[in-house]
Amino acid sequence: MKVILVAVTSIDGKSTKWGDPNIYKWTSNEDHDQFFSLVTSHNLVVMGSKTYTAARSVLKLAPGRMTIVMTRTPEKYSHETIPGQLEFTGESAREIVEKFKDTHNELLLTGGAETNLLFLKENLVDEIILTIEPHLFANGTNLVADEKLDINLTLL
C-alpha cells in the first residue's frame, strides 16, 4: 500500500498560524481545491483527532470512502462513528496499514503533526504532497511533532 501524506504549511513549516487549527483562514483556494480533490479521489483517509476536530465542519463523508481518525480515546467518539465511513481507532500507524493493505492501494494521510510523526517514524510514508503558502508565522504547529528525525527525501 502506498501512503501519501498531504499537507499545507507556511514558508517556515508551520501547519497552523499561532496554534489556531483553522487553516482555512490563511490557505489559498488553490490548496483547498487540491486537498479536496485528493480526498475525494482516495477511498482511505487517515487523520489524527486534532485534525478531525478542526476539520469536522468541512469533512466530506461518502459511501465507499473510509475516514479513520487516530486517537488515544476512540470511545470518546463512539457516538460519531459511521461504520464504513467514519471510524475512530487507537491502532498504531503500522496496524492501520496492515489492516487495509489487502483491500486498498493507497492511504491518504491528512495529518496532523503527531499523526504524521507516527507514520514517518515507522517509515510508512511513500510520498508527500506539500503546498507551501507564502506566509511566515514563526509560531504555530509544525508539519511533524517535535522529535529527532533524519529522513532523506527525494524531490519529484
Side-chain angles (χ1 to χ4, degrees):
M1 172 190 298
K2 181 177 183 179
V3 176
I4 302 167
L5 188 161
V6 60
V8 60
T9 69
S10 61
I11 290 172
D12 52 348
K14 304 301 178 187
S15 61
T16 67
K17 179 180 179 180
W18 311 323
D20 179 352
N22 187 351
I23 64 168
Y24 301 106
K25 291 180 181 177
W26 59 271
T27 54
S28 64
N29 289 333
E30 293 83 2
D31 178 66
H32 302 172
D33 292 346
Q34 174 182 273
F35 178 78
F36 287 110
S37 173
L38 286 166
V39 168
T40 57
S41 67
H42 286 82
N43 59 11
L44 181 59
V45 178
V46 175
M47 67 185 69
S49 60
K50 290 178 188 172
T51 300
Y52 170 71
T53 299
R56 183 184 278 140
S57 65
V58 296
L59 194 61
K60 297 176 181 180
L61 302 176
R65 181 174 48 244
M66 170 71 86
T67 299
I68 298 174
V69 179
M70 295 178 71
T71 175
R72 292 180 190 92
T73 57
E75 63 282 353
K76 174 181 170 184
Y77 301 94
S78 62
H79 64 285
E80 296 182 52
T81 298
I82 302 170
Q85 290 186 46
L86 177 62
E87 297 185 7
F88 301 83
T89 185
E91 294 173 310
S92 71
R94 184 161 303 282
E95 289 170 325
I96 292 170
V97 169
E98 285 296 315
K99 182 176 183 177
F100 291 99
K101 71 179 184 180
D102 294 331
T103 57
H104 293 76
N105 294 326
E106 293 184 338
L107 180 156
L108 188 67
L109 178 61
T110 62
E114 292 176 30
T115 304
N116 293 343
L117 175 66
L118 294 172
F119 277 81
L120 288 164
K121 277 176 49 176
E122 292 290 327
N123 197 31
L124 296 171
V125 176
D126 299 294
E127 183 177 332
I128 299 173
I129 299 173
L130 180 63
T131 299
I132 301 174
E133 295 282 7
H135 296 278
L136 287 169
F137 301 136
N139 186 305
T141 306
N142 293 326
L143 175 64
V144 178
D146 286 339
E147 188 163 315
K148 290 182 179 178
L149 289 177
D150 187 7
I151 299 172
N152 293 316
L153 306 171
T154 302
L155 181 63
L156 302 175

